[in-house]
Amino acid sequence: MIKILSFIILVCILPIMSIIAIFIIIDDGFPVLFKQKRIGRDNCIFLIYKFRTMKKGTPDIPTHLVEKSQNIFTWCGPFLRKYSLDELPQLLNVLKGDMVFIGPRPSLHNQDDLISLRKSKGVQKLKPGITGWAQVNGRDRLTISEKVEMDVYYKNHKSVLLDLKIIWMSIIKVFKSEYIL
């Protein structure tokens, strides 16, 4: 069901994704998508897909660690990040079965502290999501332990009602540009 819904959404937003791809190509050429190693269910590594928002040759490290970060973005990169449009290709990850719509965000493959803490709390048993409880409650403003506590809360209270609440809150956060770096 999740894969079918992901496919339907992908088909519906294909025109928007095509426009984004054209802007990226015009600004900084190919590739359009950025692939990065992330940690999935049971700590398995997978490649996450995002629209590329940084110029070619930018080191594969978190944005806040790059000096002069305003110079690393493509022309449309800040806009794509502000409205989380760079996340749209993750519907391909849902279609492949690597991710779901709602769950803990997949950690970077080298975030050993986050991976270890999630494992100690049993969070690694959940499939990672495009959005989740931590994203609507602080996103990157949360400490690692706060993120994991949010993930544990989701694991212990997972329900259709909570998922619908997270989807609704995610939409509001995106339109308000809250918790976006």
Side-chain angles (χ1 to χ4, degrees), residues 137-162:
N137 285 292
R139 200 173 178 170
D140 290 330
R141 292 188 174 132
L142 299 173
T143 65
I144 288 173
S145 59
E146 289 170 330
K147 281 182 188 180
V148 173
E149 286 309 311
M150 295 284 177
D151 295 339
V152 169
Y153 177 87
Y154 179 75
K155 179 180 77 115
N156 293 337
H157 297 87
K158 190 175 182 211
S159 67
V160 173
L161 213 52
L162 182 57

Side-chain angles (χ1 to χ4, degrees), residues 43 111-124 143-149 151-152:
N43 292 333
Q111 285 181 296
D112 296 328
D113 47 356
L114 178 58
I115 295 165
S116 176
L117 191 54
R118 281 181 168 171
K119 186 174 181 180
S120 73
K121 304 282 186 174
V123 174
Q124 86 285 357
T143 65
I144 288 173
S145 59
E146 289 170 330
K147 281 182 188 180
V148 173
E149 286 309 311
D151 295 339
V152 169

Side-chain angles (χ1 to χ4, degrees), residues 51-70:
F51 278 120
R52 190 167 57 85
T53 59
M54 295 185 200
K55 293 178 182 174
K56 288 184 265 188
T58 303
D60 186 15
I61 58 175
T63 309
H64 69 278
L65 297 179
V66 180
E67 292 181 32
K68 300 179 183 176
S69 62
Q70 69 275 11

Side-chain angles (χ1 to χ4, degrees), residues 69-93:
S69 62
Q70 69 275 11
N71 295 325
I72 64 169
F73 291 106
T74 60
W75 170 78
C76 61
F79 177 83
L80 295 177
R81 285 177 167 232
K82 181 177 181 178
Y83 294 102
S84 297
L85 295 170
D86 60 321
E87 311 283 348
L88 292 177
Q90 288 169 37
L91 290 166
L92 294 169
N93 289 109

